[in-house]
């Protein structure tokens, strides 16, 4: 009898302990779960902010590299020479044959300066696609004004080499865009 009473008291004690234990610590897992959710949300916001920061740094770098004072001709000429060097290096890397490159007349506008270039190249469709993609990824602001792919029927009748049929003649006009900084004199005169 005494053993039954002892086991009953122990069972009640353990049951009471577990009952109060569950009630005592029950809100804690909910709070921890909420804190974990909050932490995940803040981590996502942090990652988003880091990505935006990196992209804004890239945008700033592009703007900084493509900016010049409106009257500063020497900087624009150096940028034009650098662009031509980069352009010819790119075409050499892609094994594109350059037939003709001619810079056009510089066109100054209020906020922009355009330097047009006329190009004539020989390449395959794939090389042309890689060329346009590389221009898009350039640190310079480049506008492809127009292009023409010349691969007419005369190529089929004039050439005997099947590899030559894949080559096409491309004429294109593109422009580099330089952003004009306002000079300090014009800022002072407006103030």
């Amino acid at each position: 009898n005494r053993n039954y009473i002892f086991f009953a008291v122990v069972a009640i004690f353990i049951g009471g302990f577990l009952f109060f234990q569950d009630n005592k610590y029950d809100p804690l897992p909910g709070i921890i779960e909420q804190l974990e959710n909050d932490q995940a949300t803040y981590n996502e916001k942090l990652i988003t902010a880091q990505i935006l920061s990196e992209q804004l740094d890239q945008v700033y770098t592009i703007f900084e590299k493509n900016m010049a004072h409106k009257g500063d001709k020497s900087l624009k000429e150096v940028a034009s020479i650098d662009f031509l060097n980069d352009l010819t290096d790119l075409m050499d890397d892609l094994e594109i044959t350059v037939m003709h490159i001619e810079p056009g007349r510089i066109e100054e506008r209020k906020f922009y300066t355009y330097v047009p270039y006329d190009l004539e190249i020989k390449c395959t469709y794939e090389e042309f696609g890689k060329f346009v993609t590389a221009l898009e990824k350039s640190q310079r602001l480049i506008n492809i004004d127009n292009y023409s792919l010349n691969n007419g029927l005369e190529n089929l009748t004039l050439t005997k080499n099947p590899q030559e049929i894949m080559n096409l003649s491309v004429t294109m006009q593109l422009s580099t865009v330089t952003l004009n900084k306002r000079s300090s004199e014009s800022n002072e005169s407006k103030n």
Side-chain angles (χ1 to χ4, degrees):
N1 246 351
R2 215 188 274 167
N3 287 342
Y4 290 122
I5 293 173
F6 177 72
F7 284 123
V9 170
V10 170
I12 290 171
F13 179 72
I14 291 174
F17 178 75
L18 292 176
F19 177 75
F20 287 116
Q21 192 75 358
D22 284 344
N23 287 341
K24 183 178 176 185
Y25 296 108
D26 188 33
L28 207 58
I31 292 171
I32 292 173
E33 187 175 321
Q34 181 61 39
L35 289 173
E36 286 176 346
N37 290 339
D38 290 347
Q39 181 186 11
T41 302
Y42 290 133
N43 283 341
E44 289 172 3
K45 288 181 181 179
L46 176 65
I47 291 169
T48 302
Q50 288 172 337
I51 291 170
L52 286 174
S53 174
E54 289 173 10
Q55 289 177 347
L56 289 176
D57 284 345
Q58 291 172 354
V59 170
Y60 176 78
T61 303
I62 289 173
F63 276 112
E64 191 64 31
K65 286 187 177 189
N66 292 287
M67 211 170 258
H69 288 286
K70 188 168 185 173
D72 193 359
K73 300 280 187 210
S74 63
L75 183 62
K76 293 173 187 171
E77 289 173 5
V78 168
S80 180
I81 291 170
D82 289 343
F83 175 72
L84 281 173
N85 289 336
D86 292 343
L87 188 66
T88 53
D89 289 345
L90 173 64
M91 289 189 279
D92 284 343
D93 291 344
L94 294 174
E95 299 177 358
I96 294 175
T97 305
V98 180
M99 306 303 286
H100 176 76
I101 296 181
E102 182 179 345
R105 190 171 150 243
I106 295 175
E107 182 181 333
E108 296 239 8
R109 296 188 182 168
K110 185 174 182 179
F111 299 109
Y112 309 100
T113 301
Y114 292 92
V115 181
Y117 298 89
D118 291 325
L119 297 171
E120 186 177 341
I121 57 176
K122 283 197 173 280
C123 59
T124 64
Y125 286 106
E126 182 179 351
E127 292 166 344
F128 182 67
K130 288 179 181 178
F131 177 64
V132 171
T133 301
L135 289 177
E136 181 183 61
K137 292 179 181 179
S138 173
Q139 290 292 312
R140 289 294 313 240
L141 296 176
I142 301 170
N143 185 40
I144 298 176
D145 300 320
N146 63 43
Y147 65 91
S148 174
L149 303 173
N150 304 315
N151 192 13
L153 292 175
E154 62 274 0
N155 285 351
L156 295 174
T157 58
L158 295 176
T159 60
K160 305 271 192 254
N161 185 359
Q163 288 295 352
E164 191 65 31
I165 294 172
M166 296 304 293
N167 286 334
L168 59 136
S169 176
V170 179
T171 56
M172 63 188 309
Q173 285 83 34
L174 54 92
S175 301
T176 58
V177 181
T178 303
L179 306 171
N180 294 329
K181 288 183 187 178
R182 286 199 240 175
S183 65
S184 59
E185 297 117 24
S186 65
N187 285 341
E188 290 173 6
S189 65
K190 288 182 181 179
N191 292 332

